[in-house]
Amino acid sequence: MSQVPLHIAQEFKAPSVDEWRRLVDKDLKGKPFTVLQSSLEGGLTLQPLYTQADAAQPAPEAPGVAPYVRGTQPLGQSEGGWLVCQEYTEPDVAAAAEAIRVDLDKGALAVWLCLGEAQGIPVRSQGDLERLLAPVRLAEIPVHLEPEATPLVFAPQLLAVAEKVGVPRKALQGSLGIDPLGILARSGAPSSGVAATLAEAVPLVTSLRETAPNLRPLLVSTRAYADAGATSVHELAWAMATGVEYLRGLERAGVTPEVGARAIQFALSVGGQFFPEIAKLRAARLLWSKVVAASGGSPEAQAMVLHARTASATKTQRDPWVNILRATSESFAAVVAGADSVSTSPFDAALGTPDEMGRRLARNTQLILRDESSLNRVADPAGGSYYLEQLTSDIARAAWTELRRIEALGGMEKALAQGDVAQVLAQTRAARDKAVRSRKQPIVGVSEFPHLGEAPVQRPSRPAPTGAGLKPTRVAEAFESLRDASDRHLAAKGTRPFAFMASLGTVAEHTARSTWVVNALAAGGIEAREQHGFADVADAAQRFAESGASLAIISGPDALYPEWVPALTAALHAKGARTVVVAGRPGDQEAAFRAARVDQFIFAGADLFALLSSLHAQLGVA
């Protein structure tokens, strides 16, 4: 191959960071460089560019070496791959067993059983557990338990089932789900105190260390925190605080941190922010290694066993097909971060009990990532990225600060019991809700690009969680409540709430703004019936009168507003309009427009949810 001519190589030479910064400052034209930075939840800031100067110092150890930032295996997941682990919450033991049978036949490699009367599988006896596990080859398939109550009931039952079918304990893999703090967070009260539960679990911890080394008795699950809206930083910090409390409780009961650390399995959720979620899982291994090392544990004991599940809070009931894309991105992040096992939630899980198609799509999402995208052939794909290495460090430092705060309060149990965690979550949700309501944080299919005519996807519903625990929430709930109200209006009245929209000027002049307004109204279940090409104000007002609407929207180019808005608003009110809304920021014209009886303005950045709720009230939508 011939060499590139020197003058061409010089022409395409990449600029230095200083040269890049000078060019950026020139383009900013006096604006501060900080306008290019992005804020993340948890108080973190993303820079527009990361360079070698931002790389972690010293460089992270190789995969398989403590503190395990790059994974606990020397070759990452590139040998056997991560475990495709399906989660089950079916409200019927027989249905759950059939779902397990199908999934294992079609490629699942592990099962995660959510057990309980309220939101899980109602296993009431060892016989129920036998029937549930009948399709599972216990000598080959890891089984993970996650009870929503009574943390010590199911562990001995699983061991008894294995003994009954002739599977030696040494062959068992998975976790037994003893997680008293997780139960406290979800329900508000564990069956007994955390210390008492850990003390009671000690014989199981010590015996299984020798007889079933691949079966971890204790679980640190962040499901309750993630479902209630925790940031990545808080979820990670509270996971570490829980692990610290378990190590401390076991040590008081006579179990060394070396043994205690090897008895704990972690399960974290993966949300919608792709790169921060990768960094969170990498930071989890780093922090746990530091915690165990500080407790006197060996490098081998510092290795975290990490299960990742796609988040529930990010999923929607409206246009649930978009959940397939959300779950794919979240699963991808979990794999890139080096999770040992991953559960992908079915796209219809937010609607109730998923059907076979939902489980199949969820399962195949991971199979495609593994077998077609070959993600199992790369050890630590995130390693060496200046951005991800620095972000991992930033999240770890922020989570460590929060961990120290929780420790100063007396530990995770006290933080939960005193309401500190609930208070932090309330503040987080308030800030996130503000971003969602203004569409600064858009939700595709719900607040952005809603489809009013979508065919509903229906699944058997599950009862809402009860009790004094942390309340699960989804980011889409506010706008979905407006859509629900619109559906009820349609069922009762035969038509959706609607607005007459007068689009001023030519099609080219009003299309962009009017299209935006149509979508904004649809986010609240309000149908915009657009008309344009008006001869004059009287023509527009007459067409409004003929439409039968009580709500009028004026949309068009700003240049036409001073001439049209005052006169058209008066004419619309004269023809029976109860509310007149103008699209766009009013700017200097606000006083004049309000004097002309313009009631409200709709524009990007405003609290769209509040506006739509107000329009619902005026339209009689309940």
Side-chain angles (χ1 to χ4, degrees):
M1 181 182 294
S2 60
Q3 293 184 341
V4 178
L6 179 60
H7 71 281
I8 295 180
Q10 292 174 337
E11 180 180 350
F12 288 97
K13 180 182 177 182
S16 68
V17 174
D18 291 339
E19 291 171 331
W20 173 83
R21 179 61 186 266
R22 286 195 292 271
L23 290 171
V24 169
D25 289 338
K26 181 180 178 181
D27 287 342
L28 287 174
K29 298 178 180 178
K31 294 180 181 178
F33 184 76
T34 53
V35 301
L36 299 180
Q37 297 173 336
S38 303
S39 297
L40 286 179
E41 293 179 334
L44 303 178
T45 300
L46 296 183
Q47 302 298 328
L49 178 69
Y50 288 83
T51 68
Q52 189 171 6
D54 299 301
Q57 298 296 333
E61 299 287 350
V65 179
Y68 303 109
V69 177
R70 304 192 62 192
T72 56
Q73 303 298 322
L75 296 179
Q77 305 296 347
S78 62
E79 289 189 307
W82 69 95
L83 290 179
V84 179
C85 181
Q86 291 286 93
E87 291 193 1
Y88 301 92
T89 61
E90 279 72 10
D92 178 79
V93 171
E98 176 60 16
I100 292 170
R101 184 193 66 77
V102 172
D103 290 339
L104 291 178
D105 286 346
K106 300 297 184 180
L109 299 174
V111 297
W112 192 284
L113 306 177
C114 300
L115 304 175
E117 297 289 334
Q119 299 295 308
I121 306 170
V123 172
R124 302 183 178 96
S125 65
Q126 181 178 321
D128 284 345
L129 191 60
E130 287 181 24
R131 287 187 288 276
L132 181 61
L133 294 175
V136 181
R137 301 179 301 279
L138 292 176
E140 304 170 22
I141 303 296
V143 174
H144 301 270
L145 309 180
E146 186 175 1
E148 62 185 28
T150 56
L152 287 165
V153 168
F154 299 104
Q157 291 183 1
L158 175 61
L159 297 175
V161 170
E163 183 177 0
K164 185 174 182 179
V165 297
V167 176
R169 288 191 177 186
K170 280 191 177 295
L172 295 177
Q173 305 171 67
S175 57
L176 298 178
I178 301 173
D179 185 15
L181 281 173
I183 291 174
L184 174 61
R186 293 180 69 179
S187 66
S191 56
S192 59
V194 173
T197 300
L198 293 175
E200 192 176 348
V202 165
L204 198 60
V205 170
T206 54
S207 66
L208 293 183
R209 176 72 187 92
E210 300 298 328
T211 61
N214 294 317
L215 189 62
R216 299 206 165 204
L218 270 61
L219 171 67
V220 174
S221 173
T222 62
R223 185 190 299 272
Y225 312 122
D227 287 358
T231 67
S232 295
V233 169
H234 286 124
E235 181 187 357
L236 178 55
W238 296 340
M240 294 301 111
T242 301
V244 167
E245 196 138 337
Y246 289 172
L247 288 179
R248 187 181 292 132
L250 289 173
E251 189 170 23
R252 291 193 187 110
V255 178
T256 66
E258 177 76 17
V259 174
R262 295 172 187 262
I264 299 174
Q265 156 108 35
F266 282 80
L268 275 66
S269 295
V270 180
Q273 294 183 308
F274 183 71
F275 291 109
E277 294 299 302
I278 294 173
K280 178 183 75 178
L281 298 189
R282 299 174 92 239
R285 289 193 296 268
L286 167 64
L287 292 183
W288 184 240
S289 176
K290 297 293 186 184
V291 165
V292 177
S295 302
S298 67
E300 291 75 22
Q302 296 167 29
M304 171 186 281
V305 176
L306 176 59
H307 173 72
R309 58 169 65 94
T310 57
S312 298
T314 60
K315 305 307 182 292
T316 65
Q317 293 179 341
R318 296 288 170 168
D319 205 352
W321 307 101
V322 183
N323 292 335
I324 299 173
L325 302 179
R326 297 184 179 104
T328 298
S329 174
E330 293 163 4
S331 301
F332 188 10
V335 171
V336 170
D340 299 294
S341 58
V342 180
S343 290
T344 302
S345 61
F347 79 96
D348 50 352
L351 294 162
T353 302
D355 67 1
E356 194 280 331
M357 180 181 67
R359 294 195 316 275
R360 175 172 60 84
L361 291 173
R363 180 181 65 244
N364 286 348
T365 296
Q366 291 194 55
L367 297 182
I368 291 172
L369 291 175
R370 186 191 68 193
D371 299 335
E372 297 188 22
S373 300
S374 297
L375 292 186
N376 62 322
R377 298 189 179 188
V378 183
D380 187 24
S385 163
Y386 303 144
Y387 167 41
L388 278 170
E389 297 290 8
Q390 183 60 42
L391 188 56
T392 298
S393 177
D394 290 345
I395 289 178
R397 290 178 184 276
W400 191 262
T401 299
E402 171 65 8
L403 169 60
R404 293 178 63 185
R405 189 187 73 83
I406 294 294
E407 286 291 285
L409 292 175
M412 197 63 195
E413 183 177 12
K414 287 187 177 179
L416 282 166
Q418 295 171 1
D420 178 83
V421 170
Q423 183 178 3
V424 171
L425 287 170
Q427 295 169 351
T428 299
R429 286 195 301 268
R432 186 178 295 148
D433 287 346
K434 184 177 180 181
V436 169
R437 288 161 64 114
S438 65
R439 298 205 295 187
K440 183 178 180 181
Q441 181 176 332
I443 306 170
V444 175
V446 180
S447 66
E448 291 275 15
F449 311 113
H451 178 30
L452 279 183
E454 67 175 295
V457 178
Q458 297 180 338
R459 296 291 183 267
S461 61
R462 299 295 300 270
T466 58
L470 303 176
K471 183 179 182 298
T473 183
R474 293 178 298 103
V475 294
E477 286 180 0
F479 281 99
E480 287 181 340
S481 68
L482 298 178
R483 295 284 296 278
D484 292 343
S486 174
D487 285 351
R488 292 192 295 269
H489 190 277
L490 174 62
K493 307 290 186 180
T495 181
R496 291 197 181 279
F498 66 95
F500 173 87
M501 189 163 78
S503 293
L504 309 179
T506 65
V507 172
E509 289 175 320
H510 66 63
T511 291
R513 175 169 282 173
S514 294
T515 300
W516 184 91
V517 173
V518 169
N519 279 280
L521 293 176
I526 300 173
E527 178 186 350
R529 299 181 181 178
E530 181 188 6
Q531 294 196 34
H532 56 88
F534 307 112
D536 49 31
V537 167
D539 179 30
Q542 181 58 36
R543 290 201 222 174
F544 165 78
E546 294 169 355
S547 72
S550 61
L551 168 64
I553 313 289
I554 301 174
S555 175
D558 291 339
L560 293 181
Y561 277 6
E563 174 188 354
W564 276 80
V565 168
L568 181 53
T569 299
L572 291 169
H573 277 299
K575 291 292 187 179
R578 294 180 56 191
T579 305
V580 176
V581 179
V582 170
R585 293 180 181 271
D588 296 339
Q589 299 291 324
E590 182 171 2
F593 289 174
R594 290 200 180 277
R597 295 181 61 199
V598 171
D599 298 290
Q600 299 191 62
F601 299 89
I602 181 171
F603 52 87
D607 188 335
L608 180 62
F609 176 78
L611 172 63
L612 293 173
S613 298
S614 173
L615 296 181
H616 269 218
Q618 295 167 40
L619 292 169
V621 181

